[in-house]
Amino acid sequence: MEPAQPADRVPADRTPPGGQPPVDQPAGTEPAATGPTAPATGEPALVAGEPAPAADEPALVASEPASAAGEPAPDPSVQPSVARPVPGDAAGGPDDATGTGERSAPPPRVAAAATKAERSPKDMAISLLVLLIPIALLLAFYRGFLGGDQATTVDPAPAIEQARSANIFPVSEPQGLGSGWRTVSARYQTVEGGANLRIGYLTPEGRGVQLLQSNVPAEQLLPAELTDQSQPQGPTELAGRTWQRYTARGNQQALVLLEPTRTVLVVGDARDNELRDLAGALR
């Protein structure tokens, strides 16, 4: 058995047994601390349920400002919402700047491209027709009034007279050609080995024929004028003279008259009957 306590001794624990209310404390006295030591003044109180920091650890510093009076503390488990850009705007904003739901007008360059794409084939045809009409009128004026499609005719008389004055070879001149024959060139010139008289004609069918009279030796003249591969194709009689038919460049053919003092060529892409007409008209 424990020894009896003195009657005037106050028990250390004043908590009444059996859940009875505590005994009133005298004014100015503080109850004895029964739990952990309270934090010093100026240090934040620890959250209930967390262990007290060790003696050698620094006190925790508040990382967030305290909530305003009357507002609940923020829940750390809830993540703050982040504003996301709305599709349709390059800057991350909505399509319209005013928030009314209306799209802004396209740039002028896009509007011009859209206008160009909206042109119909009919509009393009009209624009092309407007351009072609002045061109057609100018072409008609050139052909009808200025004779644009007609070959320029020349007078062969000066060249023929010059050749006759030189008196190097006998000179012949066509006689009795039809009105459809036109003289387009005439030239007399001295060359290596002799001299040449060239007269160019346009036949009634619109083909070109050249009359060449020269005193250059035939073995030098024929290869230069008809090509090296030209060969005689047989004789033909025209106005009492014997001519030789020859092949020439491309689709051309030639009639050749060989004389002691001169060589005469009628060559071109005209038909055989036109070549024969010109050769037979020489006087």
Side-chain angles (χ1 to χ4, degrees):
M1 296 182 60
E2 296 181 359
Q5 301 292 332
D8 57 349
R9 185 176 179 179
V10 179
D13 189 3
R14 294 179 176 274
T15 302
Q20 298 179 5
V23 181
D24 296 336
Q25 298 293 333
T29 62
E30 294 181 3
T34 58
T37 306
T41 305
E43 296 182 359
L46 298 179
V47 180
E50 294 186 359
D56 56 349
E57 293 183 0
L60 299 177
V61 180
S63 59
E64 296 182 0
S67 303
E71 294 183 0
D75 190 350
S77 64
V78 179
Q79 298 295 332
S81 60
V82 180
R84 298 182 179 179
V86 179
D89 190 356
D95 287 344
D96 59 302
T98 59
T100 58
E102 297 180 358
R103 296 180 62 86
S104 58
R109 186 168 53 186
V110 177
T115 304
K116 201 175 288 186
E118 291 176 358
R119 292 181 179 176
S120 64
K122 181 180 178 181
D123 296 336
M124 298 177 64
I126 293 175
S127 301
L128 184 61
L129 186 61
V130 170
L131 293 175
L132 290 178
I133 288 177
I135 296 176
L137 292 176
L138 290 175
L139 185 60
F141 177 79
Y142 174 73
R143 289 182 175 180
F145 296 93
L146 301 181
D149 289 344
Q150 298 178 2
T152 303
T153 59
V154 299
D155 184 8
I160 294 174
E161 185 61 31
Q162 186 179 0
R164 286 175 176 168
S165 299
N167 198 23
I168 297 177
F169 53 83
V171 176
S172 299
E173 183 178 357
Q175 301 290 333
L177 288 175
S179 59
W181 289 79
R182 288 173 289 177
T183 306
V184 294
S185 64
R187 183 176 59 177
Y188 172 80
Q189 65 180 148
T190 58
V191 295
E192 184 180 355
N196 293 336
L197 174 62
R198 297 178 184 270
I199 304 176
Y201 295 93
L202 197 63
T203 69
E205 294 184 2
R207 299 179 182 272
V209 178
Q210 184 177 133
L211 170 63
L212 173 61
Q213 304 177 62
S214 175
N215 67 334
V216 176
E219 61 272 12
Q220 179 182 346
L221 181 65
L222 295 181
E225 297 293 333
L226 305 179
T227 72
D228 297 336
Q229 289 76 30
S230 61
Q231 297 294 331
Q233 303 298 313
T236 181
E237 293 293 329
L238 296 171
R241 299 172 180 175
T242 302
W243 294 71
Q244 292 288 336
R245 295 193 303 270
Y246 274 77
T247 57
R249 293 182 177 88
N251 61 343
Q252 295 182 355
Q253 52 185 341
L255 294 174
V256 179
L257 176 64
L258 297 174
E259 293 181 342
T261 58
R262 70 170 182 173
T263 300
V264 182
L265 279 75
V266 177
V267 58
D269 61 351
R271 294 184 181 182
D272 183 69
N273 63 322
E274 291 181 326
L275 294 178
R276 293 171 64 89
D277 289 343
L278 179 58
L282 289 176
R283 300 291 187 268

